[in-house]
Amino acid sequence: MSTDSISSRLRGKEHVGGIALGQPTVGEEELAAVAEVFRSGWLAGAGPACRRFEERFAQVTGTAHALTTANCGSALFLGLKVLGVRPGDEVIVGDYTFPATGHAVVQAGATPVFADIRPDVFSADPAHVESLITSKTVGILVVDVAGQPGDFDEYRAIADKHGLWLFEDAACAAGATYKTRPAGSLADLAAFSFHGRKGITAGEGGALVSDREDLIAHARKLHTYGIEPAISREGSDTLPIPEFHELGYNFRMSDVQAAIMNVQLDRLPDLLAARRSVAKRYHEAFEDVDALTVPVELSDREHPWQAYLLTVAPQVSRDTLALRVRERGVQCNFGTYASHLQPIYGPQAPLPVSADAFARQLAIPMHANLTDAEVTRVGEVVREAVQSLS
């Protein structure tokens, strides 16, 4: 399906700031699914729609088990808890990421130790990861930056060599692959986000996936205050009264969100194809602009293009470029964060590659609703703005 046909059928109101940086693809099918949940009477969390989505999402991610969560942050936190993270532990974290990744480690009581990144695809550099391992290290938490998986064969070899667990922050990676294996199936656990800018979305929401039944079963209890969700007691011919043996949390996805996500899974192939088409057009628009480096898709991976991150040459001010692009009706933003530079984590060792990406990357509009005319317009505006500053 072409980007134009998706847009004409599903596009909402024009973004008030011009061409939107991100935009969900939703329509009548999602509304019908929500109406069905309304009719069922089960709107709360961890209900039948959630179970349906969990079964389907496990298949999409090539895993045996999935658990819906309130968001990706809660999925990361639950994953760390069921892996046994405790105060005094160190967790190596890929540095170039929204700080929710590092926050989850801190919230679990451990210390994030940030690893520098590859200069081409911005995922954690395996050699630097291994150099950070100490007697306090318990695991490696690596990020699929903009959705493209990192070097998981190398990460796995390091984890196995040192007796560590491996956790994939796949927040942006629904539909991505690494050596034909789906994102989500590449580590002991993986966490996904369904935030409004992600490839599939219910506005918010997340999921935790794994082949390990014990980890997901434990997380399922923790995400419902420490007991089995109410749906597990449906149809009982007794009056089961749960007992609380462990401190838990309310990290459930609602069935309204899960109904939307079930439709989004149906859309996933078309949404991925549309984003890949946009990425190809952008590559062509910018490949001859000396002051811009287009993002790399490695040959052994399928990139879901959750974001399209241009790297701006050092002689051009990324911030000034962003303001000029916005002035002409094209939304844009910095790429993501060099986590080690955020004050919340205190003094950190310098990570020059991540810091450089943080200073020079520019995210431009990337979503499945972009029309051919809008993609052309984005290309023209960015090119002209770069030329005016070069």
Side-chain angles (χ1 to χ4, degrees):
M1 184 180 295
S2 72
T3 55
D4 283 338
S5 61
I6 288 178
S7 298
S8 63
R9 195 160 57 87
L10 299 169
R11 186 170 187 147
K13 294 181 179 178
E14 183 70 22
H15 191 272
V16 293
I19 300 175
L21 179 63
Q23 190 178 76
T25 301
V26 292
E28 295 299 325
E29 294 91 336
E30 283 84 358
L31 290 173
V34 170
E36 182 61 31
V37 169
F38 285 3
R39 285 190 290 270
S40 77
W42 191 308
L43 278 67
C50 284
R51 287 296 174 92
R52 219 164 27 247
F53 176 72
E54 288 168 354
E55 292 171 0
R56 297 182 64 202
F57 196 61
Q59 292 180 335
V60 167
T61 58
T63 57
H65 308 282
L67 173 69
T68 50
T69 61
N71 46 54
C72 187
S74 57
L76 288 166
F77 175 79
L78 286 171
L80 292 167
K81 293 294 284 186
V82 300
L83 286 166
V85 170
R86 57 180 57 89
D89 290 342
E90 292 180 352
V91 176
I92 297 172
V93 178
D95 188 65
Y96 197 52
T97 176
F98 188 76
T101 314
H103 283 15
V105 176
V106 175
Q107 289 161 352
T111 300
V113 178
F114 295 107
D116 212 350
I117 58 173
R118 289 179 51 158
D120 53 353
V121 294
F122 315 110
S123 51
D125 177 356
H128 194 235
V129 167
E130 187 161 26
S131 75
L132 296 172
I133 294 172
T134 71
S135 60
K136 296 181 179 180
T137 306
V138 295
I140 302 168
L141 175 53
V142 284
V143 182
D144 300 334
V145 179
Q148 182 168 211
D151 300 310
F152 274 91
D153 283 353
E154 288 87 343
Y155 302 148
R156 173 54 73 190
I158 294 166
D160 290 349
K161 175 182 175 182
H162 296 275
L164 308 175
W165 47 254
L166 180 61
F167 196 169
E168 178 184 7
D169 182 342
C172 303
T177 66
Y178 170 80
K179 298 184 178 179
T180 74
R181 290 140 51 198
S185 68
L186 308 174
D188 299 302
L189 279 169
F192 288 84
S193 172
F194 306 130
H195 176 267
R197 275 194 64 198
K198 299 302 186 284
I200 51 176
T201 180
E204 280 291 357
L208 187 68
V209 303
S210 179
D211 279 336
R212 287 185 54 181
E213 184 178 9
D214 61 324
L215 295 179
I216 296 299
H218 190 188
R220 190 177 298 281
K221 291 185 71 174
L222 289 182
H223 101 318
T224 308
Y225 290 110
I227 60 174
E228 293 290 342
I231 194 172
S232 67
R233 302 187 292 277
E234 284 284 293
S236 175
D237 56 5
T238 65
L239 182 62
I241 301 176
E243 292 184 339
F244 295 80
H245 296 277
E246 186 174 11
L247 183 67
Y249 314 88
N250 182 4
F251 286 161
R252 293 165 294 189
M253 175 186 283
S254 78
D255 261 35
V256 173
Q257 291 171 300
I260 295 170
M261 290 310 305
N262 274 303
V263 178
Q264 290 281 292
L265 276 187
D266 294 337
R267 296 194 192 283
L268 182 57
D270 284 345
L271 298 180
L272 289 170
R275 285 174 178 263
R276 287 170 180 151
S277 176
V278 171
K280 182 176 183 294
R281 294 274 309 280
Y282 280 158
H283 289 348
E284 294 167 351
F286 302 125
E287 63 184 355
D288 63 342
V289 181
D290 292 339
L292 297 176
T293 301
V294 300
V296 173
E297 179 178 27
L298 298 181
S299 60
D300 61 353
R301 291 155 222 207
E302 289 184 273
H303 201 316
W305 299 108
Q306 186 272 328
Y308 191 92
L309 305 179
L310 291 166
T311 303
V312 182
Q315 67 269 22
V316 175
S317 166
R318 186 274 314 273
D319 294 6
T320 303
L321 174 62
L323 294 176
R324 292 202 180 180
V325 169
R326 287 180 177 180
E327 286 169 358
R328 297 191 61 188
V330 173
Q331 290 295 293
C332 60
N333 210 342
F334 62 94
T336 191
Y337 292 84
S339 294
H340 76 287
L341 297 178
Q342 300 311 306
I344 190 171
Y345 300 119
Q348 300 284 326
L351 301 178
V353 183
S354 183
D356 184 63
F358 180 47
R360 296 203 288 127
Q361 288 210 315
L362 182 73
I364 61 174
M366 173 53 81
H367 51 86
N369 300 339
L370 286 164
T371 65
D372 289 341
E374 286 173 327
V375 174
T376 298
R377 175 66 178 163
V378 172
E380 292 171 348
V381 167
V382 173
R383 286 176 63 99
E384 291 168 7
V386 169
Q387 290 165 1
S388 73
L389 296 172
S390 298

